[in-house]
Amino acid sequence: MISNIKEVLEIPRRKALRISVGRPDHATSLILNEIHRNGFYKAEKYWNENKIQVAKAAIDELCASTNVKNSWVDPEKSDRRFFFSEKHGKIFEEFKNDPFIEKVRKFYTGRERADKCVLAAKLISKSGNKGSGAGWHMDSPFSLQFKAFLFLTDVTNDNGPLEVILPT
């Protein structure tokens, strides 16, 4: 109940914050319109192959390590997650502070600053696993959230760690 009240009170506050950050350029406006319409925006081939390989190697290094702080592995060992991974590699720090993502985030949320962290993950499609994040779930039904995902491998129906249900 309190979270519902909090969310209702947040609406006028967010409108005021959006006014304070100014108006986005045309390209950013198109992206924001798509996010508002579908709940997401998809950019193809966002990183070049070299950066992708650096990120993959950094994640593999985390997976090979033992006792990585702020990490989690599912019982099937098919989902390995490393929270606050920006503390474990420059490539993750680069993603955390990506200027394009930051610009879209600022206009979407209406906030100049944000609490951010990078969750690096390695998901392996295995028979019997529940899927990303231990199965079908919603992160938050209330809070306005902004997330940027960067898939480092081609995502298909057979291995896809994320499913989005479009609004009707």
Side-chain angles (χ1 to χ4, degrees):
M1 174 71 165
I2 291 185
S3 63
N4 289 348
I5 294 169
K6 182 180 166 188
E7 290 301 317
V8 169
L9 295 174
E10 183 75 2
I11 293 168
R13 184 171 164 269
R14 292 243 182 239
K15 286 183 180 179
L17 285 168
R18 284 190 185 102
I19 292 168
S20 73
V21 296
R23 297 181 58 83
D25 58 53
H26 179 69
T28 305
S29 291
L30 294 174
I31 292 166
L32 292 167
N33 288 340
E34 190 165 332
I35 292 171
H36 288 295
R37 183 175 53 255
N38 296 324
F40 68 95
Y41 169 77
K42 180 180 170 185
E44 298 282 345
K45 300 187 184 306
Y46 191 71
W47 273 4
N48 67 40
E49 191 59 33
N50 183 53
K51 285 175 76 170
I52 289 170
Q53 293 309 318
V54 169
K56 283 181 170 181
I59 292 170
D60 285 343
E61 189 175 312
L62 287 171
C63 288
S65 301
T66 57
N67 299 323
V68 177
K69 190 175 180 179
N70 298 311
S71 63
W72 175 84
V73 180
D74 73 341
E76 294 82 17
K77 300 199 179 353
S78 63
D79 187 350
R80 297 176 175 267
R81 293 171 175 236
F82 304 96
F83 299 87
F84 303 100
S85 57
E86 65 273 15
K87 296 176 182 176
H88 298 289
K90 187 177 178 181
I91 194 77
F92 304 124
E93 180 74 27
E94 184 178 334
F95 183 69
K96 178 182 174 185
N97 296 312
D98 182 278
F100 170 76
I101 296 169
E102 259 305 282
K103 179 169 69 168
V104 174
R105 182 214 48 85
K106 180 177 81 169
F107 287 113
Y108 178 72
T109 64
R111 293 178 179 259
E112 284 288 343
R113 296 174 33 132
D115 293 328
K116 303 182 289 184
C117 78
V118 174
L119 165 63
K122 184 164 189 170
L123 300 145
I124 301 167
S125 182
K126 288 185 177 180
S127 179
N129 74 331
K130 295 178 183 170
S132 175
W136 190 220
H137 67 279
M138 180 185 294
D139 290 339
S140 172
F142 301 113
S143 298
L144 174 70
Q145 293 184 345
F146 181 86
K147 293 184 177 189
F149 292 86
L150 181 64
F151 295 101
L152 303 175
T153 56
D154 290 335
V155 177
T156 68
N157 287 337
D158 295 328
N159 72 355
L162 177 69
E163 183 175 3
V164 175
I165 299 174
L166 292 172
T168 54

